[in-house]
C-alpha cells in the first residue's frame, strides 16, 4: 500500500464521522438529587407515592409523610397532594389507617384481607387497613408549611389542622383508655418497625399462638416460607422470620374479627404495648400541632392541651434510671420491655427529655460498639444478642430513623453530630442507591430498591 493510500484513508477518516462520533455522547451521570427525584417520579401514582414497586403497591401513612417532606423542595403542590390524599382514608372517628389500598382489581385480595368495612367508621368507597402507624402527619404538614409564604401557609394549615386534631383526639380517646398520656399499640405493624425486639420478644415469650408454636416445634416454617409473597422480591434473610410473619397475620385476623374496635381487642387481643418510638413521635407531633394552631391563631380544645401536657410528663414513666435508658412498656402490667433497639434514641426527637438524658443518648450514638458502626444508625445496637445486620428492623440502618435522630440532635444543639450523621447517611445512599435499608457495617443495600422515603429524605438532607 502506497503512502498516498494511507493519506487518502487519513483524509477520509477526518471527513467522515467515525461510528463513535455518530452515537450520542454518554449521558452525564445523575447527581444524587436527580437520582432521588427519578425514584420519586417512578413511584408516583398521581395522588400519592407508593413506597416501592411490587413489594409495596399501596399508600402507607408514614411513608407518605416522609415523601412529602422531600417533595416540598421540588414540587410543593405535589407535596400537599401527597398529604391531602391521606385524608381520603381517615376514618369518621379520626383514625388514620396505615394503608390505603390501591383500587386496581389485582389487589382485591389485599383489600379483602383487611375488610375495613367491618367497622362503621371506615370511609365509604376507600379500602384501608384497620390499624394506624407513627403519627408523622403533623410534622409533615408543618415542614411543607415552611416552604409556603405566610398567606399560603395559613390556608394550608387551616385545611389540615382539623384532620390532625381529630387524629390526635382519637389516639387519646381510643388508645389511652387509662388516661396515662401514653398511646398503646395493638399490632407490631403499627410501630412502623415491624420486627423490633421489644415486640418480637413479647411474641416469642408470651404471645405465640399455639398453632404457630406447633409449626415451630415441627420445623414446618422452612416449608411454609417458600409460599411467602415477599420472597419473590427479597431474600428471606432480609425480612421477618416466617414464624413472626405468620403470627402477625394471625394477630391481624383477630383484630378484624373484633371489627378493629380497641376495647374489644384489649379484652381478647394479642398485643398491647406503649411503644417508645411511637410515643416519642407523637409528642413531637403534638408540639408541631400546637405550632400549626398558633400560626392560624386557633385555640385547641382544652382537653387536648391537657392531654398533650400529660404525655410530655408521661414519657419519663418509660425511663429506667439504672440503665439510664428509655424503654417501651407493657400496657397491662407496666413492665418495661428491656430489649435494646433504636427506640431508645427516639426521645431526642420527642424533645422533652432532660439535657442529661439527651447527653447520655448521644454517648450511645458515639459508641462504635453500640450505635456507631461505619454506616449508622443500626436499628438494633451492635452489642445486642438480637442484632442481625441484614434483617429488616433488627439491625440494618434506615434513612427515615436517621432523619428523626438528626432532627432530635439539632433540637438539642448537637449540630456537629447532626451534620456527621447527615454526611454518613448521604454517603451510604451515594454508594448504594435508594435502597429500603442498609447493612450498617458495610453500607450495602438491602430490601427493596428505589424506595421512596429513602429518596425523599435524601432530597431533604441535601437541601437542609
Ligand atoms: C414495612 C415497614 C413500614 C413501612 C411499610 C411500607 O411494613 O416496616 O414501616 O411503612 O413497609 O414501606
Amino acid at each position: 500500500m502506497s503512502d498516498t493510500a494511507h493519506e487518502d484513508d487519513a483524509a477520509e477518516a477526518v471527513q467522515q464521522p467515525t461510528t463513535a462520533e455518530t452515537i450520542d455522547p454518554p449521558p452525564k451521570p445523575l447527581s444524587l438529587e436527580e437520582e432521588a427525584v427519578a425514584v420519586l417520579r417512578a413511584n408516583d401514582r398521581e395522588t400519592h407515592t407508593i413506597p416501592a414497586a411490587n413489594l409495596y403497591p399501596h399508600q402507607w401513612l408514614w411513608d407518605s409523610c416522609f415523601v412529602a417532606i422531600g417533595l416540598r423542595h421540588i414540587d410543593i403542590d405535589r407535596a400537599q397532594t401527597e398529604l391531602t390524599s391521606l385524608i381520603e382514608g381517615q376514618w369518621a372517628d379520626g383514625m388514620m389507617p396505615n394503608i390505603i389500598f390501591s383500587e386496581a382489581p389485582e389487589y382485591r385480595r389485599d383489600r379483602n384481607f383487611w375488610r375495613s368495612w367491618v367497622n362503621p367508621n371506615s370511609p365509604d368507597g376507600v379500602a384501608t387497613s384497620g390499624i394506624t402507624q407513627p403519627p408523622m402527619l403533623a410534622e409533615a404538614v408543618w415542614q411543607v408549611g415552611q416552604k409556603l409564604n405566610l398567606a399560603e401557609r395559613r390556608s394550608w394549615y387551616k385545611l389540615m389542622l382539623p384532620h390532625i386534631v381529630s387524629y390526635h383526639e382519637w389516639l387519646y380517646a381510643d388508645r389511652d383508655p387509662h388516661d396515662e398520656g401514653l398511646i398503646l399499640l395493638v399490632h407490631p405493624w403499627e410501630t412502623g418497625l415491624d420486627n423490633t425486639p421489644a415486640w418480637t420478644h413479647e411474641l416469642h415469650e408470651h404471645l405465640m399462638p399455639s398453632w404457630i408454636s406447633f409449626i415451630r416445634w415441627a420445623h414446618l416454617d422452612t416449608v411454609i416460607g417458600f409460599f411467602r409473597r415477599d420472597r419473590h422480591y427479597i431474600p428471606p434473610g432480609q425480612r421477618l422470620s416466617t414464624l413472626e410473619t405468620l403470627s402477625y397475620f394471625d394477630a391481624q385476623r383477630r383484630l378484624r374479627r373484633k371489627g378493629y374496635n380497641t376495647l374489644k381487642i384489649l379484652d381478647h387481643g394479642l398485643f398491647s404495648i406503649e411503644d417508645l418510638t411511637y410515643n416519642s413521635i407523637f409528642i413531637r407531633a403534638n408540639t408541631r400541632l400546637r405550632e400549626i394552631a398558633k400560626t392560624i391563631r386557633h385555640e385547641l380544645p382544652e382537653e387536648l392541651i391537657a392531654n398533650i401536657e400529660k404525655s410530655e410528663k408521661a414519657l419519663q414513666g418509660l425511663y429506667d434510671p439504672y440503665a439510664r435508658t428509655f424503654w417501651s412498656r407493657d400496657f397491662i402490667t407496666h413492665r418495661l420491655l428491656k430489649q435494646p433497639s433504636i427506640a431508645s434514641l427516639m426521645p431526642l426527637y420527642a424533645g422533652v427529655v432532660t439535657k442529661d438524658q439527651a447527653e447520655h443518648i448521644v454517648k450511645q450514638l458515639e459508641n462504635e460498639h453500640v450505635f456507631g458502626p461505619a454506616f449508622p444508625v443500626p436499628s438494633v445496637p451492635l452489642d445486642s444478642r438480637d442484632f442481625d445486620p441484614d434483617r429488616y428492623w433488627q439491625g440494618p440502618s434506615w434513612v427515615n430513623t436517621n432523619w428523626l435522630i438528626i432532627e432530635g440532635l439539632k433540637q438539642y444543639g448537637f449540630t456537629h453530630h447532626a451534620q456527621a450523621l447527615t454526611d454518613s447517611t448521604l454517603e451510604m445512599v451515594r454508594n448504594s442507591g435508594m435502597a429500603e435499608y442498609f447493612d450498617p457495617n458495610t453500607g450495602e443495600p438491602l430490601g427493596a430498591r428505589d424506595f421512596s422515603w429513602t429518596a425523599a429524605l435524601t432530597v431533604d438532607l441535601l437541601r437542609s
Side-chain angles (χ1 to χ4, degrees):
M1 212 187 277
S2 70
D3 283 337
T4 343
H6 272 300
E7 276 161 20
D8 287 349
D9 282 352
E12 200 172 272
V14 172
Q15 281 152 18
Q16 296 286 318
T18 61
T19 330
E21 277 166 343
T22 53
I23 292 174
D24 287 340
K28 234 174 74 212
L30 294 183
S31 71
L32 190 57
E33 181 167 310
E34 286 165 338
E35 211 185 299
V37 172
V39 168
L40 291 173
R41 292 238 162 84
N43 292 340
D44 189 340
R45 297 295 177 271
E46 285 179 31
T47 53
H48 66 276
T49 308
I50 57 165
N54 301 322
L55 193 58
Y56 305 112
H58 311 291
Q59 180 175 22
W60 266 262
L61 174 57
W62 79 328
D63 296 62
S64 274
C65 294
F66 290 124
V67 165
I69 290 170
L71 279 178
R72 73 194 170 120
H73 299 285
I74 50 181
D75 184 344
I76 190 80
D77 288 344
R78 185 61 189 77
Q80 290 175 291
T81 307
E82 188 75 26
L83 299 177
T84 50
S85 68
L86 283 173
I87 303 307
E88 305 289 311
Q90 187 167 29
W91 288 25
D93 56 1
M95 203 276 279
M96 304 269 324
N98 74 330
I99 309 173
I100 301 175
F101 290 104
S102 155
E103 287 171 359
E106 65 265 36
Y107 299 118
R108 209 168 134 212
R109 243 182 83 198
D110 295 3
R111 294 188 293 266
N112 280 346
F113 175 69
W114 279 94
R115 258 171 261 157
S116 48
W117 47 91
V118 298
N119 187 303
N121 289 314
S122 65
D124 292 336
V126 184
T128 73
S129 69
I131 58 171
T132 190
Q133 234 187 0
M136 287 295 301
L137 184 63
E139 175 79 276
V141 167
W142 184 89
Q143 296 278 356
V144 168
Q146 298 311 295
K147 293 283 158 201
L148 296 167
N149 68 37
L150 190 59
E152 291 165 342
R153 185 184 309 156
R154 284 220 179 105
S155 19
W156 169 238
Y157 286 171
K158 270 187 198 145
L159 175 72
M160 296 305 282
L161 179 114
H163 299 285
I164 306 171
V165 168
S166 66
Y167 180 35
H168 288 205
E169 286 185 332
W170 173 80
L171 283 168
Y172 282 118
D174 208 81
R175 297 305 188 83
D176 182 18
H178 296 166
D179 283 334
E180 294 176 289
L182 293 173
I183 302 306
L184 72 90
L185 302 184
V186 296
H187 197 290
W189 289 332
E190 293 196 305
T191 68
L193 319 181
D194 307 10
N195 61 333
T196 194
W199 287 78
T200 50
H201 275 251
E202 283 308 283
L203 172 70
H204 287 286
E205 278 160 38
H206 307 290
L207 299 168
M208 183 82 81
S210 47
W211 67 274
I212 298 177
S213 300
F214 173 76
I215 290 173
R216 175 166 59 185
W217 174 81
H219 300 291
L220 291 173
D221 44 323
T222 322
V223 183
I224 296 170
F226 283 114
F227 298 98
R228 285 173 57 175
R229 190 168 76 171
D230 56 353
R231 282 213 169 185
H232 296 305
Y233 311 111
I234 313 289
Q238 296 178 19
R239 301 279 295 174
L240 265 77
S241 76
T242 295
L243 289 174
E244 285 158 10
T245 305
L246 286 174
S247 306
Y248 287 11
F249 278 103
D250 180 85
Q252 187 279 335
R253 260 196 307 274
R254 286 171 197 232
L255 303 186
R256 190 180 68 205
R257 251 183 263 138
K258 302 287 163 225
Y260 305 111
N261 175 312
T262 303
L263 286 181
K264 286 191 194 158
I265 290 166
L266 287 178
D267 279 349
H268 300 274
L270 262 174
F271 296 99
S272 55
I273 291 178
E274 293 163 337
D275 183 77
L276 177 57
T277 302
Y278 194 97
N279 279 283
S280 299
I281 291 175
F282 185 46
I283 289 169
R284 162 89 164 216
N286 279 330
T287 307
R288 289 304 194 209
L289 170 59
R290 290 179 90 162
E291 292 173 45
I292 290 169
K294 201 170 153 206
T295 307
I296 57 172
R297 300 200 189 91
H298 174 91
E299 296 248 339
L300 291 173
E302 266 174 36
E303 196 186 339
L304 180 58
I305 303 262
N307 278 330
I308 290 175
E309 285 166 3
K310 197 187 292 168
S311 296
E312 291 176 1
K313 296 197 183 89
L315 195 70
Q316 290 298 335
L318 305 184
Y319 188 63
D320 167 2
Y322 302 104
R324 302 183 72 190
T325 301
F326 289 87
W327 307 106
S328 292
R329 188 168 79 177
D330 183 86
F331 168 69
I332 310 283
T333 62
H334 272 197
R335 183 169 40 93
L336 291 176
L337 307 177
K338 299 186 180 179
Q339 279 75 37
S341 80
I342 196 165
S344 64
L345 309 177
M346 291 303 161
L348 264 191
Y349 177 69
V352 295
V353 298
T354 66
K355 199 156 173 282
D356 188 49
Q357 288 169 332
E359 272 164 12
H360 189 71
I361 292 176
V362 172
K363 275 205 193 107
Q364 302 297 303
L365 260 177
E366 283 169 340
N367 188 331
E368 61 184 36
H369 305 297
V370 185
F371 282 114
F375 296 96
V377 176
S379 39
V380 166
L382 310 180
D383 60 349
S384 160
R385 271 191 302 152
D386 291 317
F387 174 75
D388 177 339
D390 289 350
R391 202 180 276 284
Y392 217 32
W393 294 101
Q394 218 184 303
S397 296
W398 291 70
V399 173
N400 68 329
T401 39
N402 281 9
W403 188 90
L404 296 172
I405 293 166
I406 291 166
E407 285 288 304
L409 288 166
K410 284 187 195 160
Q411 185 161 224
Y412 280 90
F414 294 102
T415 36
H416 292 306
H417 291 80
Q419 191 54 51
L421 185 52
T422 301
D423 293 346
S424 64
T425 306
L426 291 175
E427 190 194 339
M428 187 166 81
V429 174
R430 206 169 270 125
N431 294 343
S432 298
M434 307 292 150
E436 188 180 6
Y437 41 97
F438 302 83
D439 182 318
N441 293 316
T442 63
E444 272 169 66
L446 300 167
R449 299 302 134 95
D450 297 339
F451 192 69
S452 294
W453 81 38
T454 304
L457 296 176
T458 294
V459 174
D460 192 63
L461 293 176
L462 284 168
R463 298 279 188 114
S464 305

